[in-house]
Amino acid sequence: MISVLFAVLTALSNGSASVLQRRAALEVPDGEAMRLSLIGHLVRQRVWLAGIALVIVAAVCQAVALATGPISVVQPIFVIELPATLLLAGWMMRVRAPRTVWYGVAAVTAGLAVGLGSAAPVDGTDAVRGADWVPTLLLTGAFEAVLIVAALRVRGNARAALLGLAAACGYALTAALMKDAMAHLGPEGGAVALLTSWQLYATAAAGVGALFLLQNALHAGSLVAVQPMLTLGDALISILYGVTLFEEELRTGWWLLPELAGLGLIAAGCVVLARSSLATDTLAPQPPPPRAG
């Protein structure tokens, strides 16, 4: 229950951060895409800094969640981030949520309950064998490279979606590294073992990389294009890491049917939310203000 509670807090914090970061990204010139100067523009905006503060809160909550539960349970809960993002954006913009939004929220929530209830993830090992990280990092790096190269060949929401998926992969890798790092806090390790583990610093590096990709995704297109890829991609890739790295077990056999049904409900809910008037009215890119003179 502790892991579920902190996973929910993580999702709510990340959803709030996405809204604030999206508002800040709208003020950045188009010519700054995929450049480090993009961050320079953002750090001068209080709304972006508030979003980063919430990202830090989310990171702490996520660390607690991963230290107390399997990654296959913690990360999928983050799919509620999309409904939270839309509802929060509507509240900030003083736009009433239409009935379709609540249908989408219900579908995502029900899909998450059905999917996790059917899969019934069982915790495996707390730590990963060092040799297992080598192929994992190589394959993840290759997948990220393909997504980034493909994103640079397109524009608009297509680029935003591809970079959103790349960011999702980065965040899933961050979660796997974080869980492995937190294993060093056991009775035989402690704070010293954690601070001297390479996984802790790899977690920071992967998190910064994922954040950079997310900022560019938000700058490239609408939050509607980014958020579904971010939430679903993070959940599915994290489950893959949980099964392959941490030896977590999921129900198979006929249980795959309700698991797929749950995934379908989540996907359908995301589509409904993405197409809702709340999304287009509050999260669509706004035209730049007219310049004096």
Side-chain angles (χ1 to χ4, degrees):
M1 292 301 297
I2 293 177
S3 62
V4 171
L5 172 61
F6 277 90
V8 170
L9 292 175
T10 302
L12 295 178
S13 297
N14 273 331
S16 302
S18 293
V19 174
L20 297 177
Q21 290 166 1
R22 173 59 184 163
R23 287 173 65 89
L26 293 175
E27 305 298 326
V28 178
D30 290 339
E32 301 300 327
M34 296 303 293
R35 296 181 181 178
L36 290 177
S37 55
L38 170 69
I39 303 299
H41 283 276
L42 292 172
V43 297
R44 294 193 291 269
Q45 301 186 46
R46 292 182 178 179
V47 66
W48 188 80
L49 293 176
I52 292 301
L54 286 172
V55 169
I56 295 173
V57 171
V60 173
C61 292
Q62 184 181 15
V64 175
L66 290 170
T68 55
I71 192 174
S72 297
V73 170
V74 173
Q75 294 298 112
I77 292 177
F78 294 167
V79 299
I80 67 173
E81 184 179 322
L82 176 57
T85 299
L86 289 176
L87 294 176
L88 178 63
W91 177 75
M92 289 182 63
M93 302 293 184
R94 297 182 180 180
V95 177
R96 184 176 181 179
R99 186 176 300 177
T100 53
V101 167
W102 295 109
Y103 290 156
V105 171
V108 170
T109 304
L112 178 62
V114 171
L116 285 181
S118 302
V122 176
D123 203 357
T125 60
D126 292 329
V128 179
R129 291 179 300 177
D132 290 343
W133 276 116
V134 175
T136 299
L137 293 176
L138 289 175
L139 290 173
T140 300
F143 181 59
E144 292 273 36
V146 169
L147 290 174
I148 293 172
V149 170
L152 292 176
R153 296 178 179 273
V154 295
R155 298 182 64 84
N157 283 343
R159 175 181 289 187
L162 287 169
L163 291 177
L165 181 57
C169 184
Y171 282 123
L173 177 63
T174 301
L177 289 166
M178 182 185 294
K179 182 173 179 63
D180 196 19
M182 294 299 291
H184 290 79
L185 281 175
E188 297 181 359
V192 174
L194 173 63
L195 293 175
T196 56
S197 66
W198 69 267
Q199 292 91 337
L200 177 64
Y201 302 99
T203 297
V208 170
L211 177 62
F212 178 73
L213 290 170
L214 178 57
Q215 301 309 313
N216 281 278
L218 293 169
H219 182 246
S222 67
L223 188 60
V224 171
V226 176
Q227 201 69 29
M229 300 297 288
L230 184 66
T231 52
L232 290 175
D234 188 356
L236 294 176
I237 296 173
S238 292
I239 290 174
L240 179 61
Y241 284 146
V243 172
T244 57
L245 288 175
F246 295 93
E247 301 178 5
E248 296 172 0
E249 297 180 2
L250 307 177
R251 284 173 173 168
T252 56
W254 72 269
W255 286 105
L256 289 174
L257 294 178
E259 289 169 15
L260 292 175
L263 182 61
L265 278 173
I266 293 173
C270 287
V271 171
V272 170
L273 291 172
R275 292 180 175 177
S276 68
S277 59
L278 178 63
T280 55
D281 291 344
T282 62
L283 303 180
Q286 300 297 318
R291 297 178 61 182

